[in-house]
Amino acid sequence: MRTLLKRAIGATSVCVVAAGMVLGANAFTKNEEMQVVKTDPELKEWHFNGTSNSEKLDASKYSEYSSEPCGGVEQTICIVLAPEDTSNPGQPNMSHQVTPGNSVASRINSAIPTIGSPSTNETVTSLRSF
């Protein structure tokens, strides 16, 4: 009788552990299905048409990039990645948050410092000469 009781308890324990694993896996799967994926607005390439670095944050000095050449001495911005400004169509959204606390404008300022050499980053993808 004891052997039969031990086997019943053992089988029940195995079933409880297996059921817990199934329920846990099912809960994990449902959690993943319910997550909302936030996507950034469509990023576009914008060509800087300004004639000085003082114009680098003026969205009206940018046009959608088609095939304007970049290159030469790296003095200023050539191409930036940013979504279009819904308030000003045809211009990049300079206030768009690339990462928390870093807007397109702040990334442009980082790439073209007032002192030091210009450099590219995840927003400023190419440089050119004046």
Side-chain angles (χ1 to χ4, degrees):
M1 184 77 150
R2 279 189 161 185
T3 306
L4 184 59
L5 184 60
K6 284 182 180 180
R7 285 186 184 175
I9 291 172
T12 303
S13 299
V14 169
C15 288
V16 168
V17 170
M21 291 173 64
V22 169
L23 291 174
N26 190 26
F28 181 73
T29 303
K30 286 184 180 179
N31 187 26
E32 285 183 1
E33 291 171 1
M34 293 173 63
Q35 289 178 352
V36 176
V37 177
K38 181 182 175 199
T39 58
D40 279 338
E42 181 181 339
L43 296 178
K44 295 182 177 184
E45 290 185 322
W46 300 92
H47 186 267
F48 178 58
N49 302 309
T51 56
S52 77
N53 282 334
S54 64
E55 301 173 315
K56 66 188 175 193
L57 300 181
D58 183 350
S60 69
K61 300 293 182 181
Y62 290 81
S63 60
E64 276 194 67
Y65 178 72
S66 56
S67 62
E68 294 92 346
C70 294
V73 178
E74 296 180 340
Q75 297 171 310
T76 192
I77 297 163
C78 186
I79 298 171
V80 298
L81 285 176
E84 186 169 16
D85 190 339
T86 55
S87 302
N88 297 301
Q91 296 180 7
N93 182 349
M94 294 297 193
S95 61
H96 171 73
Q97 295 293 305
V98 179
T99 58
N102 287 303
S103 65
V104 169
S106 67
R107 298 302 297 148
I108 289 171
N109 277 331
S110 295
I112 310 295
T114 51
I115 298 174
S117 300
S119 61
T120 59
N121 57 39
E122 58 272 347
T123 300
V124 177
T125 61
S126 185
L127 302 169
R128 67 171 173 88
S129 59
F130 284 112

